[in-house]
Short mmCIF file of all heavy atoms in Angstrom, two decimals:
data_model
loop_
_atom_site.label_atom_id
_atom_site.label_comp_id
_atom_site.label_asym_id
_atom_site.label_seq_id
_atom_site.Cartn_x
_atom_site.Cartn_y
_atom_site.Cartn_z
N ILE F 57 -60.62 -196.11 170.78
CA ILE F 57 -61.30 -194.85 170.45
C ILE F 57 -62.81 -194.95 170.59
O ILE F 57 -63.43 -194.01 171.13
CB ILE F 57 -60.96 -194.54 168.93
CG1 ILE F 57 -59.49 -194.34 168.75
CG2 ILE F 57 -61.74 -193.29 168.48
CD1 ILE F 57 -58.88 -193.27 169.55
N GLU F 58 -63.45 -196.01 170.16
CA GLU F 58 -64.86 -196.10 170.27
C GLU F 58 -65.28 -196.28 171.82
O GLU F 58 -66.29 -195.76 172.18
CB GLU F 58 -65.42 -197.31 169.47
CG GLU F 58 -65.37 -197.06 167.98
CD GLU F 58 -66.06 -198.10 167.16
OE1 GLU F 58 -66.31 -199.25 167.75
OE2 GLU F 58 -66.38 -197.89 165.97
N ALA F 59 -64.34 -196.94 172.60
CA ALA F 59 -64.69 -197.01 173.98
C ALA F 59 -64.59 -195.55 174.58
O ALA F 59 -65.41 -195.21 175.52
CB ALA F 59 -63.68 -197.92 174.63
N MET F 60 -63.63 -194.77 174.14
CA MET F 60 -63.51 -193.37 174.72
C MET F 60 -64.71 -192.55 174.29
O MET F 60 -65.13 -191.72 175.09
CB MET F 60 -62.18 -192.74 174.22
CG MET F 60 -60.94 -193.33 174.89
SD MET F 60 -59.45 -192.72 174.11
CE MET F 60 -59.58 -191.00 174.40
N GLU F 61 -65.25 -192.78 173.06
CA GLU F 61 -66.40 -192.06 172.69
C GLU F 61 -67.58 -192.20 173.59
O GLU F 61 -68.43 -191.36 173.71
CB GLU F 61 -66.79 -192.50 171.21
CG GLU F 61 -66.13 -191.88 170.16
CD GLU F 61 -66.61 -190.43 169.84
OE1 GLU F 61 -67.59 -190.36 169.28
OE2 GLU F 61 -65.86 -189.48 170.33
N GLN F 62 -67.65 -193.34 174.29
CA GLN F 62 -68.78 -193.65 175.17
C GLN F 62 -68.49 -193.53 176.65
O GLN F 62 -69.45 -193.71 177.46
CB GLN F 62 -69.32 -195.04 174.80
CG GLN F 62 -69.74 -195.16 173.35
CD GLN F 62 -70.12 -196.61 173.07
OE1 GLN F 62 -71.29 -197.01 173.16
NE2 GLN F 62 -69.10 -197.38 172.50
N ALA F 63 -67.21 -193.25 176.98
CA ALA F 63 -66.85 -193.23 178.38
C ALA F 63 -67.49 -192.20 179.24
O ALA F 63 -67.69 -192.33 180.43
CB ALA F 63 -65.34 -193.05 178.46
N ASP F 64 -67.85 -190.97 178.53
CA ASP F 64 -68.39 -189.86 179.31
C ASP F 64 -69.85 -189.68 179.01
O ASP F 64 -70.40 -188.64 179.22
CB ASP F 64 -67.73 -188.57 178.98
CG ASP F 64 -66.39 -188.38 179.72
OD1 ASP F 64 -66.30 -188.80 180.86
OD2 ASP F 64 -65.46 -187.81 179.15
N ASP F 65 -70.57 -190.73 178.66
CA ASP F 65 -72.05 -190.67 178.32
C ASP F 65 -72.80 -190.10 179.48
O ASP F 65 -73.66 -189.20 179.35
CB ASP F 65 -72.52 -192.00 177.96
CG ASP F 65 -72.25 -192.41 176.52
OD1 ASP F 65 -71.63 -191.56 175.84
OD2 ASP F 65 -72.62 -193.51 176.07
N LEU F 66 -72.53 -190.55 180.71
CA LEU F 66 -73.32 -190.09 181.87
C LEU F 66 -72.91 -188.59 182.16
O LEU F 66 -73.79 -187.77 182.43
CB LEU F 66 -72.99 -190.91 183.09
CG LEU F 66 -73.83 -190.60 184.34
CD1 LEU F 66 -75.28 -190.55 184.06
CD2 LEU F 66 -73.44 -191.57 185.47
N LEU F 67 -71.62 -188.28 182.14
CA LEU F 67 -71.21 -186.97 182.35
C LEU F 67 -71.82 -185.99 181.35
O LEU F 67 -72.23 -184.87 181.64
CB LEU F 67 -69.73 -186.81 182.37
CG LEU F 67 -69.12 -185.43 182.66
CD1 LEU F 67 -69.60 -184.96 184.02
CD2 LEU F 67 -67.62 -185.51 182.53
N ASP F 68 -71.80 -186.41 180.07
CA ASP F 68 -72.40 -185.53 178.99
C ASP F 68 -73.86 -185.35 179.27
O ASP F 68 -74.38 -184.22 179.01
CB ASP F 68 -72.18 -186.22 177.67
CG ASP F 68 -70.78 -186.26 177.18
OD1 ASP F 68 -69.98 -185.43 177.73
OD2 ASP F 68 -70.38 -187.04 176.22
N ARG F 69 -74.58 -186.32 179.75
CA ARG F 69 -76.02 -186.17 180.02
C ARG F 69 -76.29 -185.15 181.11
O ARG F 69 -77.09 -184.24 180.98
CB ARG F 69 -76.58 -187.54 180.36
CG ARG F 69 -78.09 -187.47 180.56
CD ARG F 69 -78.75 -188.86 180.63
NE ARG F 69 -78.50 -189.57 181.80
CZ ARG F 69 -79.28 -190.50 182.37
NH1 ARG F 69 -80.44 -190.81 181.66
NH2 ARG F 69 -79.05 -191.11 183.45
N VAL F 70 -75.49 -185.33 182.22
CA VAL F 70 -75.66 -184.35 183.36
C VAL F 70 -75.27 -183.03 183.02
O VAL F 70 -75.98 -182.00 183.29
CB VAL F 70 -74.83 -184.86 184.56
CG1 VAL F 70 -74.98 -183.82 185.73
CG2 VAL F 70 -75.40 -186.25 185.02
N ALA F 71 -74.11 -182.85 182.36
CA ALA F 71 -73.62 -181.48 181.98
C ALA F 71 -74.52 -180.84 180.94
O ALA F 71 -74.74 -179.63 181.00
CB ALA F 71 -72.18 -181.62 181.40
N GLY F 72 -75.08 -181.66 180.00
CA GLY F 72 -75.95 -181.06 179.02
C GLY F 72 -77.19 -180.42 179.63
O GLY F 72 -77.69 -179.38 179.10
N VAL F 73 -77.65 -180.89 180.76
CA VAL F 73 -78.77 -180.18 181.45
C VAL F 73 -78.28 -179.08 182.19
O VAL F 73 -78.81 -177.93 182.15
CB VAL F 73 -79.52 -181.23 182.40
CG1 VAL F 73 -80.62 -180.58 183.08
CG2 VAL F 73 -80.02 -182.43 181.59
N PHE F 74 -77.23 -179.28 183.05
CA PHE F 74 -76.81 -178.21 184.02
C PHE F 74 -76.40 -176.96 183.29
O PHE F 74 -76.78 -175.85 183.69
CB PHE F 74 -75.74 -178.79 184.88
CG PHE F 74 -75.23 -177.64 185.81
CD1 PHE F 74 -75.98 -177.24 186.92
CD2 PHE F 74 -74.02 -177.07 185.54
CE1 PHE F 74 -75.55 -176.25 187.76
CE2 PHE F 74 -73.53 -175.98 186.34
CZ PHE F 74 -74.30 -175.60 187.45
N PHE F 75 -75.50 -177.16 182.29
CA PHE F 75 -74.92 -175.87 181.68
C PHE F 75 -75.90 -175.15 180.76
O PHE F 75 -75.79 -173.94 180.65
CB PHE F 75 -73.67 -176.21 180.91
CG PHE F 75 -72.49 -176.54 181.92
CD1 PHE F 75 -71.99 -177.76 182.09
CD2 PHE F 75 -71.90 -175.47 182.63
CE1 PHE F 75 -70.98 -178.09 182.98
CE2 PHE F 75 -70.88 -175.77 183.46
CZ PHE F 75 -70.48 -177.07 183.70
N ASN F 76 -76.93 -175.84 180.31
CA ASN F 76 -78.02 -175.14 179.62
C ASN F 76 -78.81 -174.28 180.64
O ASN F 76 -79.14 -173.16 180.40
CB ASN F 76 -78.96 -176.13 178.93
CG ASN F 76 -78.46 -176.43 177.48
OD1 ASN F 76 -78.67 -175.63 176.58
ND2 ASN F 76 -77.79 -177.54 177.28
N LEU F 77 -79.06 -174.90 181.83
CA LEU F 77 -79.79 -174.21 182.87
C LEU F 77 -78.98 -172.99 183.39
O LEU F 77 -79.52 -171.91 183.69
CB LEU F 77 -80.23 -175.13 183.96
CG LEU F 77 -81.21 -176.20 183.63
CD1 LEU F 77 -81.56 -177.01 184.91
CD2 LEU F 77 -82.47 -175.66 183.03
N SER F 78 -77.70 -173.22 183.59
CA SER F 78 -76.92 -172.15 184.15
C SER F 78 -76.75 -170.96 183.34
O SER F 78 -76.60 -169.83 183.78
CB SER F 78 -75.52 -172.75 184.59
OG SER F 78 -74.83 -173.06 183.44
N GLY F 79 -76.88 -171.10 182.00
CA GLY F 79 -76.86 -170.01 181.16
C GLY F 79 -78.29 -169.33 180.95
O GLY F 79 -78.32 -168.15 180.79
N SER F 80 -79.28 -170.13 180.89
CA SER F 80 -80.63 -169.64 180.53
C SER F 80 -81.51 -169.31 181.73
O SER F 80 -82.49 -168.54 181.63
CB SER F 80 -81.35 -170.61 179.60
OG SER F 80 -81.56 -171.86 180.30
N ASP F 81 -81.27 -169.94 182.89
CA ASP F 81 -82.09 -169.70 184.03
C ASP F 81 -81.31 -169.90 185.31
O ASP F 81 -81.55 -170.81 186.13
CB ASP F 81 -83.24 -170.74 183.98
CG ASP F 81 -84.39 -170.35 184.97
OD1 ASP F 81 -84.56 -169.17 185.26
OD2 ASP F 81 -85.09 -171.28 185.44
N SER F 82 -80.37 -169.03 185.49
CA SER F 82 -79.46 -169.09 186.59
C SER F 82 -80.08 -168.67 187.92
O SER F 82 -81.04 -167.94 187.97
CB SER F 82 -78.20 -168.29 186.32
OG SER F 82 -77.17 -168.49 187.34
N ASN F 83 -79.48 -169.07 189.01
CA ASN F 83 -79.84 -168.64 190.35
C ASN F 83 -78.63 -168.72 191.24
O ASN F 83 -77.55 -169.20 190.77
CB ASN F 83 -81.04 -169.42 190.89
CG ASN F 83 -80.75 -170.91 191.07
OD1 ASN F 83 -79.68 -171.34 191.33
ND2 ASN F 83 -81.76 -171.72 190.78
N ALA F 84 -78.65 -168.31 192.45
CA ALA F 84 -77.48 -168.30 193.32
C ALA F 84 -76.96 -169.70 193.52
O ALA F 84 -75.74 -169.88 193.60
CB ALA F 84 -77.83 -167.62 194.68
N THR F 85 -77.79 -170.64 193.71
CA THR F 85 -77.32 -172.04 193.89
C THR F 85 -76.57 -172.57 192.72
O THR F 85 -75.49 -173.15 192.84
CB THR F 85 -78.51 -172.97 194.20
OG1 THR F 85 -79.18 -172.43 195.44
CG2 THR F 85 -78.02 -174.36 194.53
N ARG F 86 -77.12 -172.33 191.58
CA ARG F 86 -76.53 -172.80 190.32
C ARG F 86 -75.16 -172.08 190.08
O ARG F 86 -74.20 -172.67 189.56
CB ARG F 86 -77.46 -172.67 189.12
CG ARG F 86 -78.67 -173.55 189.22
CD ARG F 86 -79.73 -173.34 188.18
NE ARG F 86 -80.88 -174.16 188.42
CZ ARG F 86 -82.07 -174.02 187.82
NH1 ARG F 86 -82.18 -173.11 186.82
NH2 ARG F 86 -83.03 -174.81 188.08
N GLU F 87 -75.13 -170.81 190.42
CA GLU F 87 -73.93 -169.98 190.13
C GLU F 87 -72.78 -170.51 191.16
O GLU F 87 -71.64 -170.70 190.68
CB GLU F 87 -74.15 -168.55 190.41
CG GLU F 87 -75.00 -167.85 189.32
CD GLU F 87 -75.14 -166.38 189.48
OE1 GLU F 87 -74.60 -165.85 190.46
OE2 GLU F 87 -75.88 -165.74 188.70
N GLU F 88 -73.20 -170.77 192.36
CA GLU F 88 -72.16 -171.34 193.28
C GLU F 88 -71.67 -172.68 192.86
O GLU F 88 -70.50 -172.97 192.93
CB GLU F 88 -72.81 -171.46 194.71
CG GLU F 88 -71.83 -171.92 195.73
CD GLU F 88 -72.42 -172.03 197.15
OE1 GLU F 88 -73.63 -171.76 197.31
OE2 GLU F 88 -71.63 -172.46 198.04
N LEU F 89 -72.59 -173.53 192.40
CA LEU F 89 -72.24 -174.85 191.93
C LEU F 89 -71.35 -174.77 190.67
O LEU F 89 -70.29 -175.47 190.54
CB LEU F 89 -73.47 -175.68 191.59
CG LEU F 89 -73.22 -177.12 191.00
CD1 LEU F 89 -72.36 -177.89 192.00
CD2 LEU F 89 -74.54 -177.78 190.75
N GLN F 90 -71.59 -173.86 189.78
CA GLN F 90 -70.82 -173.68 188.60
C GLN F 90 -69.39 -173.22 188.98
O GLN F 90 -68.41 -173.69 188.37
CB GLN F 90 -71.44 -172.65 187.64
CG GLN F 90 -70.80 -172.68 186.25
CD GLN F 90 -71.46 -171.67 185.32
OE1 GLN F 90 -72.49 -171.05 185.65
NE2 GLN F 90 -71.11 -171.72 184.05
#
Side-chain angles (χ1 to χ4, degrees):
I57 302 301
E58 290 188 344
M60 289 173 62
E61 275 284 283
Q62 300 172 87
D64 277 327
D65 280 357
L66 183 57
L67 181 58
D68 290 341
R69 183 168 73 154
V70 175
V73 179
F74 176 76
F75 287 106
N76 273 280
L77 293 184
S78 64
S80 62
D81 194 27
S82 187
N83 58 37
T85 301
R86 292 172 187 171
E87 289 183 3
E88 182 180 2
L89 178 56
Q90 192 174 5

